[in-house]
Amino acid sequence: MPLLFLLSFLAFSFVQGPVYAGSLLVVQVHDNAGKMYSQGVAAYKSAVYDEAVACWKDAAEAGHVNAMCNLGSCYAKGVGVSINYRQAVKWWTEAAERGSDVAQCNLGNCYMKGNGVKADPEKAVDWYMMSASQGNPMALTALGRCYLDGNGIVEDAIAAAECFHKAAAMGYPAAQCELAGCYYSGSGVEQSLAEAVYWYRKSAHGGYPLAQRLLAICYENGEGVEHSYADAAKWYRAAALQGDAESQSCLAEFHSAGKGVVKDWAEAAKWYNAAAEQGYVDAQYELAGCYYSGKGVDVDLHKAFKWYKKAADKGDLDAMCQLASCHYMGEGTAQDYVRAARMYRKAAESGHADAQFYIAECYMNGLGVDFDMAEAWRWYNEAASQDHAGAQNALGVFYHDGIMVEKDMEKAFAAFTSAAELGHAEAQFNLANCYYSGRGVVQDRLKAARLFIQAAEQGHMLAQHNLAVCFYNGIELERSYSEAVKWYKKAAAQGYACSQYDLGLCYYNGDGVEKNIDEAIKWWKLAAEQEYEPAIRALKNTR
């Protein structure tokens, strides 16, 4: 869990009496410093920040510790002055040496991060310890993180948990969240998911967005608490409303799937956009998908391209592959096969299976790269090794047709089987043909028919046609002209000339439909326009 870099203003309260006992002059100086400090507080509350800085500077120069702390925070945050960590360090050092626990903690943060000083984790730990010894919960939390990571001090998970527990007991939400993380992972304490949820909930109710998100995850996964999408959505929303990008993206995913909330793509797109605008890569990718497919927003290929590019520029391989496809198809940008191939290859070389398949296709078709069957074979194999169904089917075709390798029907059958089991429609069709003709396997037309059904139901045109033929002729399926017509229509609607011709025959003969010569002629004409000879002859014979 990340440690927050805590730069806080002191509570606006007056110092009670002079800082140093001594002469009347010293007391009078600090009385004046107290007045200037109070004027600075009033100016800050009125949002007159430059006046607040001026007052605190006068008070700080007179030795007012709270003014030193606040002036340092102004320089660190750029409130009323330009950001200047060197000045922040100067004033926090002055205050820290006078015993201010807040200044000591903030100074520790500077040494940890290298803000205004050279980074020095060991010095950071020294300052955290000084502040923590005074019971500062921020310093205790920071020190706990140092113990947990072994940063500036010897790693000690037990000491880390003790620091977190002390700060958590003071009601500090960040420490409560860290302590919950210890219980979740069993780091420095006995693992207890129930105890983790207890502290996540305390922190979440304290308004800490990270704890709200992690509590949501516990509800989503049923860890330490009863599984509840509704409660998960509630806490994702709480964190999302505070601007937590990951929670915004998770909430969007819940709305897209209807998990714990009403399914609402418009709401999903809204939250994806909120997270994407903050640079959250997963949300940028998902938002691009919304614009590409018109889910929750109007289809806008230019915006889809924009968000795919933002995610791709941050190294997201899915986005890189989709961006390449936009270049390939000319969607949201000018068509550019060369750029598409370059991006496919970049993602492929990083191990992205889809990109490996698509760069293989580029080599196979000579698009954006020189035609190279050997490179196509290599990339198909790379993708297939990651269980990419399209690549496995392609390898099956190579073995079936003897492309780049010796023809081997058994290997073709094995490759088609692997892809078909992953639901790949064309592989199911190819495997069905193997069973139908007994190529690479013992002939089994019943299995062939069942595979034709699987592929046809996914919209595979040739499988729809073959299934229609099986129903028409009663091949391993009960003869049904009406079922045959149903599947002929589906394939014919996709423009398959043979199905258009056969559908015309059904209308001509009244098989599975009411006899209708005009309808028969309509379908034969469509097939004839594709120069399908049986349809051309049928039209001549009906004149």
Side-chain angles (χ1 to χ4, degrees):
M1 298 176 191
L3 173 68
L4 295 183
F5 186 52
L6 302 163
L7 292 171
S8 315
F9 284 92
L10 282 170
F12 293 123
S13 57
F14 292 99
V15 176
Q16 300 298 311
V19 175
Y20 302 110
S23 66
L24 181 62
L25 179 60
V26 173
V27 174
Q28 183 62 44
V29 168
H30 283 284
D31 282 346
N32 289 335
K35 290 177 182 177
M36 294 305 297
Y37 173 75
S38 299
Q39 289 174 17
V41 171
Y44 181 85
K45 287 181 176 179
S46 299
V48 186
Y49 300 124
D50 55 346
E51 184 179 328
V53 168
C55 291
W56 285 335
K57 188 173 184 181
D58 287 344
E61 289 173 346
H64 196 286
V65 177
N66 283 21
M68 293 174 186
C69 287
N70 286 358
L71 184 59
S73 291
C74 287
Y75 277 114
K77 294 183 173 182
V79 176
V81 289
S82 298
I83 290 177
N84 187 330
Y85 271 106
R86 288 185 179 277
Q87 284 294 312
V89 167
K90 169 191 169 182
W91 288 110
W92 281 335
T93 301
E94 291 271 357
E97 290 174 347
R98 287 169 169 77
S100 169
D101 61 299
V102 171
Q104 290 165 347
C105 181
N106 287 347
L107 198 55
N109 289 331
C110 288
Y111 277 106
M112 185 59 70
K113 297 292 184 179
N115 289 327
V117 290
K118 184 179 179 181
D120 188 333
E122 291 183 1
K123 279 190 178 179
V125 168
D126 288 341
W127 285 113
Y128 288 146
M129 282 185 166
M130 289 185 205
S131 181
S133 69
Q134 298 188 64
N136 185 290
M138 290 181 285
L140 280 164
T141 305
L143 183 58
R145 188 75 254 182
C146 291
Y147 274 122
L148 201 60
D149 296 338
N151 194 9
I153 197 168
V154 175
E155 185 176 331
D156 188 336
I158 294 175
E162 288 174 353
C163 287
F164 294 145
H165 203 286
K166 286 177 184 177
M170 297 177 195
Y172 188 51
Q176 292 168 337
C177 185
E178 294 283 4
L179 182 59
C182 290
Y183 279 111
Y184 186 91
S185 62
S187 180
V189 292
E190 186 178 348
Q191 186 179 38
S192 171
L193 294 181
E195 196 71 10
V197 167
Y198 172 82
W199 286 109
Y200 279 141
R201 185 176 284 113
K202 275 191 170 293
S203 181
H205 280 295
Y208 195 57
L210 177 57
Q212 292 169 338
R213 171 166 31 102
L214 295 174
L215 181 58
I217 292 171
C218 288
Y219 274 112
E220 183 177 1
N221 297 328
E223 295 178 313
V225 69
E226 187 176 347
H227 171 270
S228 171
Y229 282 137
D231 283 311
K234 166 190 166 183
W235 287 111
Y236 279 137
R237 183 176 297 277
L241 290 170
Q242 292 196 70
D244 184 75
E246 189 170 341
S247 294
Q248 290 170 340
S249 186
C250 289
L251 183 60
E253 192 272 327
F254 269 44
H255 277 291
S256 71
K259 294 197 296 188
V261 291
V262 175
K263 187 171 183 176
D264 186 338
W265 271 103
E267 192 73 4
K270 180 187 84 172
W271 286 111
Y272 279 138
N273 187 78
E277 292 287 359
Q278 293 192 68
Y280 190 65
V281 176
D282 289 353
Q284 291 174 335
Y285 175 77
E286 295 295 342
L287 181 61
C290 290
Y291 279 115
Y292 187 87
S293 58
K295 291 182 177 178
V297 291
D298 292 335
V299 171
D300 190 326
L301 297 181
H302 291 286
K303 285 185 178 178
F305 179 84
K306 164 192 164 182
W307 287 110
Y308 280 138
K309 187 174 188 306
K310 283 183 179 290
D313 287 345
K314 292 179 180 177
D316 186 276
L317 296 180
D318 288 334
M320 198 178 296
C321 188
Q322 290 291 354
L323 189 64
S325 294
C326 289
H327 284 297
Y328 189 93
M329 301 299 294
E331 295 176 327
T333 188
Q335 189 173 55
D336 188 334
Y337 291 129
V338 173
R339 186 168 290 181
R342 189 184 307 132
M343 296 191 75
Y344 280 140
R345 185 168 189 119
K346 184 177 179 181
E349 289 172 345
S350 294
H352 193 275
D354 282 344
Q356 291 168 341
F357 172 74
Y358 288 125
I359 190 61
E361 294 278 283
C362 289
Y363 280 113
M364 193 75 179
N365 296 291
L367 292 173
V369 289
D370 292 336
F371 172 78
D372 191 329
M373 197 74 77
E375 277 294 283
W377 167 258
R378 178 169 82 88
W379 286 112
Y380 280 137
N381 271 284
E382 289 285 347
S385 70
Q386 297 193 65
D387 292 330
H388 189 284
Q392 290 171 335
N393 180 67
L395 292 181
V397 173
F398 273 61
Y399 282 116
H400 185 278
D401 296 343
I403 303 170
M404 286 296 299
V405 291
E406 187 177 343
K407 186 179 289 190
D408 189 325
M409 290 304 174
E410 289 185 1
K411 286 185 177 179
F413 173 80
F416 290 145
T417 299
S418 295
E421 288 174 350
L422 291 170
H424 193 271
E426 188 162 341
Q428 290 167 342
F429 171 74
N430 288 335
L431 185 61
N433 282 328
C434 288
Y435 276 115
Y436 191 88
S437 60
R439 295 196 302 270
V441 66
V442 176
Q443 187 179 54
D444 189 332
R445 290 188 171 180
L446 179 57
K447 282 187 178 178
R450 288 171 177 168
L451 284 160
F452 283 141
I453 290 172
Q454 289 178 31
E457 287 176 344
Q458 292 193 71
H460 193 279
M461 182 181 72
L462 297 181
Q464 291 170 340
H465 174 80
N466 284 6
L467 181 58
V469 171
C470 288
F471 276 117
Y472 190 91
N473 294 296
I475 301 173
E476 300 300 339
L477 297 172
E478 185 178 348
R479 176 174 286 179
S480 172
Y481 290 140
S482 61
E483 279 294 303
V485 167
K486 166 188 166 182
W487 290 107
Y488 278 139
K489 281 183 176 180
K490 288 181 181 291
Q494 294 193 65
Y496 190 50
C498 189
S499 287
Q500 291 169 338
Y501 169 72
D502 286 350
L503 182 59
L505 283 178
C506 289
Y507 277 108
Y508 188 85
N509 296 320
D511 292 335
V513 289
E514 186 175 344
K515 186 169 183 173
N516 188 326
I517 303 300
D518 290 337
E519 193 70 12
I521 290 172
K522 181 189 88 171
W523 286 108
W524 287 338
K525 282 183 176 179
L526 288 172
E529 287 171 3
Q530 298 184 62
E531 299 183 359
Y532 189 67
E533 284 298 327
I536 293 171
R537 289 195 298 270
L539 286 172
K540 286 179 180 178
N541 292 333
T542 56
R543 289 173 182 170

